[in-house]
């Protein structure tokens, strides 16, 4: 008993000594410990404050009736958007909270009509309009009220239900999706516009039902291409993928390698491999790559040289409960699968954001997910998983639909506009 009591007394004395020491150095230790958390919270606070000063406008785009242009034309607009990328100094970034502003490319279907929108910061409205008019002279652009206010502010509720998901890439970011140059008919050479499938999927909804498709993009600087070039080197066989191992794995592996080679070393002189020595008789790269690998390597190299954007893509389906039909979701997923290439990359729903829940507290967790994705859609934020898309990839997914898209759901320019004749009497 005395021994136990003495032990507790010793522990108490140690704790008292530690507390006296901590009371002398806390003002040095605590700031260092909590600085990363403070910085994260501070940056989040000042960026929210700065974001509140940015004005946005929503522009509805009405494609021309007889458009005969490839999606490649749309790349000029995205290249111009990439030009707004700004570099901020330390004071601007950590005191003023400045960051590169974002654009949002959106498609909305309601009651059998599909609308195309571009949401842009107000200072860059002229940039968007001028590039669209330059490439599509007959396009019509109108500033409209935000359609997100056409539904109740709290979703879901007793009358409305919601299903939504963010999208993610199946493969690594640098690998491109199937782009517009792959959508070409073999016999006639005519383009098969992938927008046709998306418009049909978004437009096939009845009264009091809405489909929202959103692509939020933020320009990135050229440093991202390092990852792309590394993947090119790996696919070309010039750089081997090195697996990271822990210290314990390295020690165990080294002991195992030593034990495996110690006995043969007693009977023959070891041969040391020369650094950088090439394997004799190694086939050229063209012979080592399969057709699929060659195609992926060519597409990857072409994609690395373009301007890119950090991208958040999401889809939301809303409707009154009595007409709510989740088959709309399957139609959209089928439409977005057009951009899939198993040798390259493709989109898929992100399970961490998808509005479903199983097992315990199912109803509560489902409502939380539904309200979270609804709020993020309205805010056009980039929270959650993002990926990188180039100007070519964006032009493939969101562009002015060609005249071959004869969908009754798409709103186009009603009549061609032209200037008055110069010889009219005044």
């Amino acid at each position: 008993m005395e021994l136990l009591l003495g032990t507790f007394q010793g522990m108490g004395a140690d704790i008292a000594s530690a507390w006296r020491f901590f009371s002398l150095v806390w003002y040095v230790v605590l700031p260092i410990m909590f600085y990363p958390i403070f910085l994260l919270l501070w940056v989040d606070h000042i960026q929210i404050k700065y974001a509140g000063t940015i004005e946005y406008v929503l522009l509805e785009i009405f494609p021309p009736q007889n458009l005969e242009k490839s999606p490649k034309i749309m790349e000029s607009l995205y290249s111009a958007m990439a030009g707004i990328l700004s570099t901020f100094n330390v004071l601007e970034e950590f005191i003023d909270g400045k960051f590169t502003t974002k654009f949002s490319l959106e498609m909305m279907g309601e009651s059998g009509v599909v609308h195309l929108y571009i949401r842009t910061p107000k200072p860059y409205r002229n940039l968007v309009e001028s590039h669209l008019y330059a490439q599509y002279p007959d396009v019509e652009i109108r500033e409209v009220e935000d359609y997100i206010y056409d539904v109740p502010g709290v979703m879901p509720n007793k009358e409305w239900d919601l299903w939504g998901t963010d999208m993610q890439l199946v493969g690594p970011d640098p690998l491109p999706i199937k782009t517009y140059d792959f959508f070409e008919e073999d016999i006639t050479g005519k383009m098969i516009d992938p927008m046709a499938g998306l418009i049909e999927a978004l437009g096939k909804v009845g009264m009091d039902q809405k489909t929202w498709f959103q692509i939020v993009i933020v320009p990135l600087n050229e440093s991202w291409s390092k990852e792309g070039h590394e993947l090119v080197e790996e696919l070309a066989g010039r750089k081997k993928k090195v697996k990271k191992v822990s210290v314990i794995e390295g020690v165990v592996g080294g002991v195992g390698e030593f034990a495996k080679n110690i006995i043969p070393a007693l009977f023959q002189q070891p041969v040391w491999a020369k650094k950088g020595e090439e394997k004799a008789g190694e086939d050229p790269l063209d012979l080592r790559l399969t057709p699929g690998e060659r195609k992926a390597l060519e597409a990857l190299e072409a994609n690395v040289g373009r301007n890119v954007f950090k991208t958040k893509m999401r889809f939301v389906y809303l409707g009154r409960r009595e007409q709510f039909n989740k088959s709309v979701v399957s139609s959209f997923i089928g439409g977005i699968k057009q951009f899939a290439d198993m040798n390259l990359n493709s989109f898929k729903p992100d399970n961490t954001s998808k509005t479903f829940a199983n097992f315990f507290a199912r109803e509560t967790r489902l409502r939380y997910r539904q309200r979270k994705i609804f709020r993020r859609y309205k805010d056009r934020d980039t929270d959650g998983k993002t990926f990188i898309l180039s100007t070519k990839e964006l032009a493939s997914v969101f562009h002015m639909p060609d005249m071959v898209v004869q969908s009754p759901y798409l709103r186009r320019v009603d009549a061609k506009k032209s200037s008055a004749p110069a010889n009219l009497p005044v």
Side-chain angles (χ1 to χ4, degrees):
M1 187 64 183
E2 292 181 0
L3 180 62
L4 185 61
L5 184 61
T7 302
F8 279 115
Q9 289 176 345
M11 289 175 59
D14 292 339
I15 293 173
S17 300
W19 178 253
R20 283 195 298 270
F21 175 76
F22 180 76
S23 66
L24 297 174
V25 300
W26 68 268
Y27 53 88
V28 176
V29 175
L30 289 184
I32 295 175
M33 289 175 58
F34 291 102
Y35 173 75
I37 299 175
F38 168 77
L39 182 63
L40 183 66
L41 295 174
W42 169 252
V43 170
D44 187 58
H45 165 71
I46 58 176
Q47 285 189 348
I48 290 174
K49 187 176 179 180
Y50 175 72
T53 65
I54 303 173
E55 290 186 65
Y56 288 89
V57 293
L58 187 67
L59 304 176
E60 184 169 3
I61 315 299
F62 297 87
Q65 288 283 357
N66 300 313
L67 182 64
E68 293 184 277
K69 291 187 177 182
S70 126
K72 182 178 177 66
I73 305 298
M74 200 73 175
E75 282 196 70
S76 65
L77 172 62
Y78 298 132
S79 296
M81 288 177 171
I84 73 163
L85 181 66
S86 304
T87 302
F88 302 107
N89 59 41
V90 175
L91 293 178
E92 290 174 326
E93 188 174 352
F94 294 102
I95 302 299
D96 298 330
K98 291 186 177 181
F99 56 86
T100 302
T101 51
K102 58 197 173 187
F103 298 89
S104 185
L105 318 170
E106 301 177 8
M107 299 172 66
M108 188 270 286
E110 62 171 349
S111 304
V113 179
V114 175
H115 306 258
L116 305 182
Y117 300 102
I118 296 180
R119 185 174 184 263
T120 174
K122 200 169 185 178
Y124 302 121
R125 172 178 180 170
N126 184 58
L127 178 148
V128 173
E129 291 182 332
S130 60
H131 278 81
L132 282 175
Y133 283 129
Q135 302 302 331
Y136 309 97
D138 298 326
V139 73
E140 188 172 324
I141 305 173
R142 300 177 194 166
E143 182 179 348
V144 295
E145 293 294 325
D146 202 333
Y147 60 88
I148 64 171
Y149 300 114
D150 294 339
V151 298
V154 177
M155 296 284 283
N157 53 44
K158 292 181 179 180
E159 297 181 354
W160 290 74
D161 204 354
L162 176 151
W163 191 97
T165 183
D166 291 343
M167 305 301 293
Q168 67 178 87
L169 290 177
V170 174
D173 274 332
L175 276 178
I177 58 170
K178 185 178 178 181
T179 49
Y180 54 76
D181 46 350
F182 291 99
F183 290 91
E184 189 175 281
E185 197 175 343
D186 294 333
I187 299 175
T188 63
K190 292 183 178 180
M191 180 183 168
I192 305 169
D193 196 331
M195 286 282 281
L198 285 177
I199 291 169
E200 289 289 329
L202 295 171
K204 284 187 175 179
V205 290
M207 294 293 295
D208 294 326
Q209 297 183 76
K210 301 175 187 294
T211 48
W212 295 353
F213 178 45
Q214 180 184 85
I215 308 171
V216 183
I217 55 175
V218 182
L220 292 179
N221 57 35
E222 295 80 6
S223 62
W224 85 276
S225 62
K226 180 181 178 182
E227 183 181 350
H229 287 299
E230 288 178 353
L231 189 55
V232 169
E233 294 290 314
E234 186 180 324
L235 290 176
R238 290 192 290 267
K239 179 181 178 181
K240 300 297 182 183
K241 189 173 182 179
V242 180
K243 181 184 177 182
K244 293 183 179 181
V245 296
S246 65
V247 176
I248 296 176
E249 289 176 328
V251 172
V252 173
V255 172
E257 189 72 16
F258 177 79
K260 183 176 71 174
N261 292 288
I262 188 64
I263 301 301
L266 298 175
F267 302 98
Q268 61 183 16
Q269 184 176 0
V271 179
W272 304 100
K274 294 180 180 179
K275 187 176 181 180
E277 183 179 2
E278 296 182 359
K279 295 180 181 179
E282 189 176 78
D283 293 331
L285 178 62
D286 286 344
L287 298 179
R288 284 188 280 117
L289 294 179
T290 65
E293 290 172 334
R294 190 178 298 109
K295 173 185 172 184
L297 185 58
E298 291 173 356
L300 176 59
E301 284 190 296
N303 203 48
V304 166
R306 288 182 164 83
N307 292 314
V308 296
F309 296 81
K310 182 175 79 169
T311 305
K312 164 59 72 173
M313 183 183 292
R314 53 173 65 96
F315 169 75
V316 172
Y317 165 53
L318 313 97
R320 290 191 177 273
R321 292 187 178 274
E322 55 268 21
Q323 285 113 11
F324 200 75
N325 185 0
K326 285 189 180 179
S327 64
V328 173
V329 176
S330 302
S331 299
F332 170 78
I333 300 298
I336 207 72
K337 285 293 183 182
Q338 294 177 100
F339 303 100
D341 189 320
M342 294 303 103
N343 292 318
L344 299 173
N345 221 333
S346 59
F347 299 116
K348 69 174 184 179
D350 173 29
N351 285 332
T352 59
S353 64
K354 196 191 308 182
T355 51
F356 79 101
N358 294 320
F359 310 116
F360 64 94
R362 179 181 177 277
E363 197 69 19
T364 302
R365 290 166 52 232
L366 174 62
R367 292 290 174 267
Y368 171 75
R369 287 193 173 205
Q370 289 174 314
R371 287 171 182 165
K372 181 171 71 172
I373 199 166
F374 181 65
R375 172 181 51 80
R376 287 180 170 181
Y377 190 104
K378 292 198 301 180
D379 294 342
R380 274 86 173 189
D381 66 28
T382 56
D383 292 346
K385 290 183 181 178
T386 58
F387 48 84
I388 295 172
L389 290 183
S390 68
T391 54
K392 184 177 183 180
E393 293 171 288
L394 286 172
S396 302
V397 179
F398 190 92
H399 57 265
M400 296 297 104
D402 191 80
M403 63 183 295
V404 299
V405 181
Q406 297 292 330
S407 174
Y409 307 123
L410 179 64
R411 297 187 65 183
R412 291 186 183 268
V413 175
D414 295 330
K416 185 176 180 180
K417 297 180 179 179
S418 61
S419 58
N423 59 355
L424 280 178
V426 179

